[in-house]
Amino acid sequence: MDSSLISKDFHEAGVDDAGRPMPNDQNVLQKHAAFFDRNHDGLIYPWETFEGFRAIGAGYFLSIAGAFFVNGALSGKTRPGKYTSLLFPIEVKNIHLGKHGSDTGVYDSEGRFVPLKFEQIFSKFARTHANALTSDELMAMLKANREPQDYKGWIGSWTEWRLLYSLCKDKDGLLRKETIKAFYDGSLFEQMERERTAAKKKAS
């Protein structure tokens, strides 16, 4: 890829196992999104989104749908003032511009983590277990967060949370607080990929 496309917010202070530059000084929303930036160039293309979904255990067709949905929804929003690209890249540094309505508010308008909003997820909706959500409690939260006539926000929130629940619920059908925290701070996806890689090596 043309080096001129590499985001200025990415520096060669750190590299991954392949020697590629790693992102530096990101907020939590950028870290959350950067997992899908598989070559760490500051841009997420649909094929990288697909690869990221597959890496965390999503099925083939779900990963295809996710790539179309995510990049189609976020590419234009994260590239303000630029012409539409038929490659639908997402700019990680501008991911906060892609925030949709009807969400939890755990990320503020700049993509920073808001601890109070995170704790309110559980103080308001965790009725069965103090530090986990059941499927019904998750649906109650999504319904409570809906903003009037914000249909895109409703769909975005429902898709994100149902996918998270499907992939990350425990054997008791609970979505644990530590899992949700890792989802928000950007560490969950890396952990899931490591676990899947280790399981494949063990099985081979």
Side-chain angles (χ1 to χ4, degrees), residues 35 38 50-58 189 192-193 196:
F35 172 79
R38 306 300 285 179
F50 170 83
E51 184 181 340
F53 273 116
R54 293 289 289 154
I56 61 176
F189 298 147
M192 293 173 70
E193 182 174 22
R196 282 181 56 80

Side-chain angles (χ1 to χ4, degrees), residues 23-193:
N24 199 18
D25 298 328
Q26 294 176 313
N27 61 39
V28 288
L29 181 54
Q30 290 169 336
K31 290 177 181 177
H32 169 90
F35 172 79
F36 296 92
D37 179 14
R38 306 300 285 179
N39 63 357
H40 312 305
D41 67 349
L43 300 170
I44 304 171
Y45 289 94
W47 53 89
E48 293 181 289
T49 305
F50 170 83
E51 184 181 340
F53 273 116
R54 293 289 289 154
I56 61 176
Y60 187 82
F61 292 107
L62 178 58
S63 298
I64 292 176
F68 275 105
F69 177 81
V70 171
N71 285 76
L74 297 181
S75 180
K77 292 181 179 179
T78 62
R79 302 175 68 249
K82 297 181 180 179
Y83 291 110
T84 300
S85 170
L86 295 180
L87 296 179
F88 295 99
I90 297 169
E91 292 195 8
V92 175
K93 67 179 181 179
N94 292 328
I95 193 66
H96 62 284
L97 300 177
K99 259 176 54 67
H100 56 71
S102 301
D103 64 0
T104 59
V106 173
Y107 294 129
D108 68 10
S109 61
E110 298 300 318
R112 296 167 298 203
F113 184 78
V114 182
L116 177 61
K117 292 291 186 180
F118 177 74
E119 294 298 332
Q120 285 178 347
I121 292 175
F122 303 93
S123 64
K124 290 182 176 180
F125 302 106
R127 301 300 182 213
T128 308
H129 301 272
N131 293 314
L133 296 177
T134 65
S135 178
D136 288 343
E137 290 165 350
L138 177 58
M139 293 306 297
M141 180 189 74
L142 293 175
K143 186 175 181 179
N145 288 340
R146 288 178 181 172
E147 298 171 5
Q149 299 183 339
D150 178 29
Y151 303 117
K152 290 183 179 179
W154 298 4
I155 293 171
S157 290
W158 186 90
T159 302
E160 291 167 1
W161 281 96
R162 293 311 302 183
L163 180 60
L164 178 64
Y165 181 83
S166 175
L167 293 175
C168 298
K169 66 181 184 294
D170 67 12
K171 61 182 177 61
D172 298 314
L174 299 174
L175 191 58
R176 298 285 179 179
K177 184 175 184 178
E178 59 268 25
T179 300
I180 298 174
K181 179 68 179 298
F183 170 73
Y184 276 117
D185 70 23
S187 63
L188 178 63
F189 298 147
E190 286 83 358
Q191 177 185 338
M192 293 173 70
E193 182 174 22

